[in-house]
Amino acid sequence: MAKLTREDVLKLARLARLELSDDEIENYREELSEILQYVEQLQDVDVNGLKPTNQVTGLTNVTREDEVRDYGYDTEDLLKNVPKVKDHQIQVKRMLG
Amino acid sequence: MSQWLPIADIAAKVQAGELKAADLVEQALKTINDKKEYDAIIATTESRARGRAKQVDAGKIKGRLAGVPFIAKDNFLAFGAETTAASNMLKGFTAPYQATAIEKLEAEGAICVAKTNLDAFAHGASTENSDFFTTKNPYDKTRVPGGSSGGSAAAVVLDMAPFAIGTDTGGSIRQPASFSGCVGYKPTYGLVSRSGVVAMASSTDVIGPLTRSVEDAALVLDVMAGRDDLDSTTIEADDQGYLKIDSSVQGKKIGIIREHMAESLDPQIIDVIDSTVKKLEADGAEITEISLPSLPMALAVYYILCPAEVSSNLARYDGQRYPYSYTEAKDMDDSYFGSRGRGFGKEAKRRIMIGTYVLSSGYYDAYYKQAQTVRTKLINEFNEAFRQVDFLVGPVAPTTAFKIGENINNPLQMYLADIMTVGVNLVGNPAISLPAGEIDGLPVGLQLMAPQKADRELLALAKSTEALLV
């Protein structure tokens, strides 16, 4: 039975790049434990001989010609939602110390 | 009485010059404004809508939906207003291109007039998870409209436009249709392109119409359906289209889903379903009871797979490429953590962490892989059921619309609102919610399901059923 600790929640938050407040950590610890306990009912289901399903309509390998298509999008237009742009590029914070 | 004619009639009258698209757009905008207090709408696209109406009236745009106003859930990329998915993360986002579904509707002359509220990123069953506000139920303002397409369902029932479009990942079209009192159609997985729609759980996300009649839903589906190079999961539309839906229920085999009519269900909801089934039987349908033994586990499967896919699809909102960014960040890591921690609402963070858990090493086999395998079991059971019957029937949701605030502090309770709708999402089959009656003044829906790609047949049965319900 999944009963998450505070450290478990912090680990998940770290993996998912989420900053959480102390209150949030405690709330999520309880809520996520409850949700995981609910979904654990599947662990007793007999699935012997069955394969997992990833795609439900049976499509496989939908391919197309590898060619350039012009959809008429303008670079400026595609960058207009980006918080910080410099010389047509996305500007981010320093990555290396 | 609705102020709108059937969609096909509106378009025919606009083409014949008997109705002006400009008047229809003003009529829609006026209704939206008059019914502001329901908070169904995030933004109107009025300036663009008026421009398009002029072009329709000048004969420059023609088509099967000429001049017909419609409203899109705010997770569709559309011109004329921001596309926010009701999230702070995307507040300020203006679409650089439009969703294929919107393009197809516009190509036939339809005019988008507004964007509707939803649970942020479509995570929820009530619109209470919207980062902006909660939509009110058209029948009772103290209750939720359902969700996540709650704004779209409320907009149709409040008569703001002849139709709305929404997305259904675990029931997000059908459950609000049931709670608010309209028709909600979830097509076969892949029938409508998701290009340009904010992704939630890609293995179950579908797009569909919310309308006042089955005939309207069929027309909108007919326009939107089919292969799209921009969404490689799309399938071909039925070569007969979706408009030939006049048929008799005579001899049709319909199975009542035993697991959804359990004793725990509200007896008044059982009565509504039973009385409709009796009418179908009196009209010549062959009714049997069908068991899908794994169906009660569908919700558990869904709440592993959906968060897993959500955690992956929401990874792109990292504070660098979309509008919300934590500006006080010292370095890159700080920017990621701060932007995601502050930009996402409670439910998005909850699902991201559940998804991260079930996909992480050590838990992957026990949770994610097991859920994908139980999914196979469920598919086998549905296939077996459809060897015995043509259609399945049951309720849409275990309750009518609940009170605003009633479930918001209990996420698991909120998830249970999806218990009767998630099954077909996992197996990819089409389903429809039809208004089937009222309980204590609140609407209640009936759900019909069909085999994959039997959308036309399902719409035909729904049309016959609708006629029996009047």
Side-chain angles (χ1 to χ4, degrees):
Chain A
M1 291 293 270
K3 186 103 178 86
L4 302 184
T5 63
R6 187 184 157 81
E7 284 62 42
D8 292 331
V9 176
L10 282 171
K11 188 185 170 198
L12 289 174
R14 254 196 318 277
L15 285 169
R17 302 289 184 276
L18 294 168
E19 178 189 287
L20 299 180
S21 68
D22 277 348
D23 284 353
E24 282 182 306
I25 294 167
E26 184 48 30
N27 283 340
Y28 284 130
R29 196 187 60 73
E30 285 175 25
E31 290 170 3
L32 303 186
S33 296
E34 197 188 347
I35 294 163
L36 289 169
Q37 280 162 24
Y38 176 79
V39 302
E40 274 166 13
Q41 59 177 288
L42 297 186
Q43 289 172 10
D44 302 326
V45 179
D46 179 12
V47 292
N48 214 350
L50 296 176
K51 290 199 168 107
T53 295
N54 294 301
Q55 212 286 340
V56 291
T57 52
L59 291 178
T60 50
N61 298 339
V62 178
T63 59
R64 58 169 174 77
E65 288 304 311
D66 185 16
E67 59 194 8
V68 176
R69 287 189 214 172
D70 184 4
Y71 287 97
Y73 303 146
D74 184 72
T75 314
E76 298 289 336
D77 238 26
L78 293 171
L79 285 170
K80 70 187 171 187
N81 293 297
V82 173
K84 263 192 155 176
V85 175
K86 193 178 175 186
D87 302 333
H88 284 254
Q89 295 181 68
I90 299 173
Q91 191 180 2
V92 299
K93 294 277 176 191
R94 186 185 183 88
M95 291 180 101
L96 299 169
Chain B
M1 261 310 272
S2 171
Q3 63 179 329
W4 306 105
L5 292 168
I7 295 172
D9 295 357
I10 299 174
K13 283 183 187 291
V14 168
Q15 302 267 48
E18 292 164 35
L19 282 175
K20 288 255 169 275
D23 295 339
L24 297 169
V25 165
E26 293 312 319
Q27 196 180 329
L29 292 171
K30 182 180 185 305
T31 312
I32 287 168
N33 194 47
D34 288 349
K35 294 178 178 172
K36 254 189 184 147
E37 75 269 24
Y38 288 90
D39 283 329
I41 302 296
I42 290 181
T44 65
T45 50
E46 54 179 76
S47 144
R48 184 179 150 83
R50 285 181 176 130
R52 281 184 47 82
K54 262 187 206 150
Q55 289 179 292
V56 171
D57 288 332
K60 287 178 191 152
I61 305 172
K62 296 187 167 74
R64 297 190 287 151
L65 300 176
V68 179
F70 75 98
I71 304 185
K73 189 175 180 179
D74 200 29
N75 55 353
F76 284 81
L77 266 61
F79 296 146
E82 291 178 358
T83 299
T84 67
S87 72
N88 287 328
M89 208 53 142
L90 280 172
K91 197 169 164 47
F93 184 91
T94 50
Y97 59 91
Q98 297 203 101
T100 297
I102 303 268
E103 290 283 334
K104 283 189 164 182
L105 293 169
E106 286 198 341
E108 288 289 346
I111 302 174
C112 181
V113 293
K115 305 292 293 291
T116 57
N117 193 32
L118 60 147
D119 292 284
F121 292 110
H123 303 163
S126 69
T127 74
E128 289 169 288
N129 291 332
S130 165
D131 287 345
F132 307 152
F133 44 74
T134 299
T135 302
K136 280 86 185 166
N137 189 293
Y139 282 72
D140 177 349
K141 282 187 219 166
T142 67
R143 291 177 186 273
V144 302
S148 65
S149 309
S152 293
V156 168
V157 177
L158 293 167
D159 228 19
M160 292 172 171
F163 74 94
I165 51 174
T167 54
D168 190 317
T169 304
S172 280
I173 288 174
R174 289 160 289 150
Q175 184 260 17
S178 177
F179 276 21
S180 291
C182 64
V183 173
Y185 192 72
K186 176 227 173 280
T188 296
Y189 179 78
L191 189 54
V192 179
S193 167
R194 286 101 41 98
S195 173
V197 177
V198 179
M200 177 180 163
S202 303
S203 85
T204 67
D205 284 345
V206 299
I207 286 163
L210 295 104
T211 59
R212 286 171 297 108
S213 72
V214 174
E215 205 155 52
D216 283 354
L219 175 55
V220 176
L221 179 72
D222 195 62
V223 170
M224 295 195 299
R227 277 272 305 138
D228 177 16
D229 281 350
L230 299 175
D231 178 353
S232 61
T233 63
T234 45
I235 56 173
E236 295 294 345
D238 192 315
D239 51 19
Q240 294 191 49
Y242 300 94
L243 303 180
K244 291 180 204 153
I245 55 169
D246 287 308
S247 72
S248 151
V249 298
Q250 184 68 42
K252 296 266 160 54
K253 295 195 183 92
I254 303 174
I256 304 174
I257 304 169
R258 181 188 299 160
E259 287 75 12
H260 281 179
M261 298 289 271
E263 283 166 19
S264 55
L265 184 66
D266 181 345
Q268 289 179 286
I269 293 182
I270 292 189
D271 283 349
V272 169
I273 309 301
D274 276 344
S275 76
T276 311
V277 168
K278 285 204 180 79
K279 287 179 193 166
L280 285 165
E281 194 166 26
D283 245 35
E286 290 173 31
I287 309 293
T288 48
E289 194 182 66
I290 289 285
S291 174
L292 296 148
S294 300
L295 194 56
M297 282 177 294
L299 193 73
V301 174
Y302 181 77
Y303 276 100
I304 290 174
L305 301 183
C306 160
E309 296 183 32
V310 161
S311 74
S312 166
N313 275 327
L314 296 189
R316 71 191 71 178
Y317 303 106
D318 58 2
Q320 320 305 317
R321 291 170 286 170
Y322 294 89
Y324 185 81
S325 189
Y326 173 51
T327 52
E328 309 292 307
K330 296 184 295 291
D331 55 24
M332 193 64 184
D333 245 13
D334 201 20
S335 177
Y336 286 148
F337 279 89
S339 299
R340 289 169 62 79
R342 288 149 209 259
F344 283 128
K346 265 189 200 169
E347 182 62 23
K349 286 189 270 193
R350 194 177 286 133
R351 293 195 190 198
I352 288 169
M353 284 192 285
I354 292 282
T356 304
Y357 184 89
V358 300
L359 289 173
S360 59
S361 75
Y363 298 108
Y364 178 88
D365 281 356
Y367 290 89
Y368 186 77
K369 195 174 163 202
Q370 178 72 3
Q372 291 284 55
T373 315
V374 178
R375 185 180 198 175
T376 306
K377 202 175 168 92
L378 199 59
I379 290 170
N380 292 346
E381 288 175 13
F382 266 91
N383 287 343
E384 175 54 34
F386 285 123
R387 275 191 280 275
Q388 298 170 51
V389 294
D390 303 313
F391 304 99
L392 291 169
V393 63
V396 179
T399 63
T400 52
F402 46 83
K403 289 268 188 190
I404 292 171
E406 192 176 325
N407 291 331
I408 196 65
N409 293 318
N410 188 340
L412 190 57
Q413 196 61 38
M414 189 72 94
Y415 294 172
L416 289 170
D418 297 336
I419 198 155
M420 286 150 179
T421 45
V422 293
V424 285
N425 291 89
L426 293 168
V427 301
N429 293 29
I432 187 167
S433 172
L434 289 178
E438 285 183 18
I439 294 172
D440 302 329
L442 294 171
V444 59
L446 167 97
Q447 187 170 208
L448 297 168
M449 305 170 182
Q452 274 190 13
K453 300 174 192 172
D455 293 79
R456 184 169 45 80
E457 294 83 348
L458 176 59
L459 287 160
L461 174 73
K463 191 178 172 186
S464 312
T465 310
E466 182 182 50
L468 297 173
L469 287 165
V470 175

